[in-house]
Amino acid sequence: MFDKQVYVNRRLNLRDKIRSGIILITGNNESPMNYPSNTYRFRQDSNFLYFFGLDLPGFVGIIDIEDGKDSIYGNDFTLDDMIWMGPQPKVKELAEKVGIQCTHPMRELGSTLQRAIRNGRRIHFLPQYRADNILMIDRLMGISPGLVSQYASVELIKAVVTIRSVKEDVEIAELDKASDVGYLMHTTAMKLTKPGITEQELVGAAEGVAIGKGYMTSFPIILSQNGETLHNHDHSQILTPGRMLLMDAGAEIGSHYASDNTRAFPVSGSFTPIQKDIYTIVLNALNRGIELCKPGVTYQSIHLEAAKVIAQGLTDIGIMKGNVDDAVANGAHAMFFPHGLGHMMGLDVHDMEDLGEDYVGYDDEISRIDQFGTASLRLGRRLQKGFVLTVEPGIYFVPALIQKWEDEKINSSFINFDKAAELIGFGGIRLEDDVLVTEKGNRLLGSKRIPVTIEEVEKIVGKG
Ligand code: GLY
Ligand code: MN
Ligand code: MN
């Protein structure tokens, strides 16, 4: 938890952006795994964490614009709770740590909201992603569960996105720490890589780095020799010499700030000539993408620039053909690079995605491009100092996609399908780094960059 003034200032900032009414920020509750008292690891809602700081289940935060009070609703622990969980602080003591004097038992939330509704006041709440909170809004405000997301306040969503998009210095320090743990997760897996073990053993070792520090991963680890499946969570294969292995993983540290990096490396520890060629193109796209990140530049333009580096590289080795600018304008690169270049990162690995991707990544000026591949770009808008985002280009050989485009002659003037088909079985290469946009440009998060050049990768893989 940060100093209480951090939370006081954040709530003041939010008040300034909402004209009138009551802001309701729901915290998360425990989530049962297979019976009520056997729960998943608790994860607080990121908006509640951001504005109210308490990392415990069972709270709701209220910011009343007109009466100027911030309140926390939640119940004190009972004696029974303390028998099972040990001594616990009172809600009042917890609230004081985040600069709040008004606390109420949860049963009073309904009357507070009902009174506001009777007085014709607007209750602003954010989109909800957990069933228990959707049902609570139904119960207390009479909005049927299927309509809750439609009643979310766009004014509040936009205000929260504006505030959370620009990271404070205290947040940047946490993001640096998360990246340092991510560095250890990746280098541990790289060192332990060797033919004959399973992918799952590397997943366990990487996840163990985070868990051993009391942390967790920021999303389920993606690790596979079939790196062409973008979010591959099947880790059952045995590592085989000659194949590439892709690992996309990050840490979520105790403050819940995230990291998110991808590396791809040869199982044997040395690249074959074609692996080196494809890897070098992706690395050039990564470095070009990072180089372009600075305030005032749209991330959509950086995505398209990275796409051109990929199309140029593939043209140079005969897999694509024709004019590179035309190829990218027609979306031909997307057969190999079918996803976006990156996303915002912070308390969530895809930061604020619960609020709606378009609110986070786009605005009145920049809208999503509706073309296969680029349509998946989560962040398009103009960068500002303090934004934290990922840069993650990739090249993949997806058999079903190559087959479809070849059968339907999609972009056939830009693709040498015979050459592409030869690389079915190659897998995929993605490289991902986390970037802080600074006043004049950017810097990578964390104290060290995870090995990324061909020489660095060959030096570390298998040296565990
Ligand atoms: N964790 C998936 C991604 O890189 O966005
Ligand atoms: Mn990732
Ligand atoms: Mn990512």
Coordinates of all heavy atoms in Angstrom, one line a residue, residues 248 260 343 350 390 392 432, ligand 3:
D248 N 5.8 -16.4 -23.1 CA 5.2 -15.1 -22.8 C 4.8 -15.1 -21.4 O 3.9 -15.9 -21.0 CB 4.1 -14.9 -23.8 CG 3.4 -13.5 -23.7 OD1 3.7 -12.8 -22.7 OD2 2.5 -13.2 -24.5
D260 N 5.2 -8.0 -18.4 CA 4.7 -8.8 -19.5 C 5.7 -8.8 -20.6 O 5.9 -7.8 -21.3 CB 3.4 -8.2 -20.0 CG 2.7 -9.0 -21.2 OD1 3.2 -10.1 -21.5 OD2 1.8 -8.4 -21.8
H343 N -0.2 -3.0 -25.8 CA -1.3 -2.6 -25.0 C -0.8 -1.8 -23.8 O 0.4 -1.9 -23.4 CB -2.1 -3.8 -24.5 CG -1.3 -4.9 -23.9 ND1 -0.9 -4.9 -22.6 CD2 -0.7 -6.0 -24.5 CE1 -0.1 -6.0 -22.4 NE2 0.0 -6.6 -23.5
H350 N -3.2 -6.2 -19.1 CA -3.9 -5.4 -20.2 C -4.6 -4.3 -19.4 O -5.8 -4.5 -19.0 CB -4.9 -6.2 -21.0 CG -4.2 -7.2 -21.9 ND1 -5.0 -8.0 -22.7 CD2 -2.9 -7.5 -22.1 CE1 -4.1 -8.8 -23.4 NE2 -2.9 -8.5 -23.0
T390 N 3.2 -2.1 -23.8 CA 4.1 -3.2 -24.3 C 4.3 -3.0 -25.8 O 3.5 -2.4 -26.5 CB 3.5 -4.6 -24.1 OG1 2.3 -4.7 -25.0 CG2 3.1 -4.9 -22.7
E392 N 5.2 -5.6 -28.8 CA 5.3 -7.0 -28.9 C 5.0 -7.5 -30.4 O 4.0 -8.2 -30.6 CB 4.4 -7.7 -27.9 CG 3.0 -7.2 -27.8 CD 2.2 -8.0 -26.8 OE1 2.1 -9.2 -26.9 OE2 1.6 -7.4 -25.9
E432 N 8.7 -9.3 -26.7 CA 7.9 -8.3 -26.1 C 8.7 -7.6 -24.9 O 9.2 -8.3 -24.1 CB 6.6 -9.0 -25.5 CG 5.7 -8.0 -24.7 CD 4.4 -8.7 -24.2 OE1 4.4 -10.0 -24.1 OE2 3.5 -8.0 -24.0
Ligands
MN3 MN 1.4 -8.2 -23.9

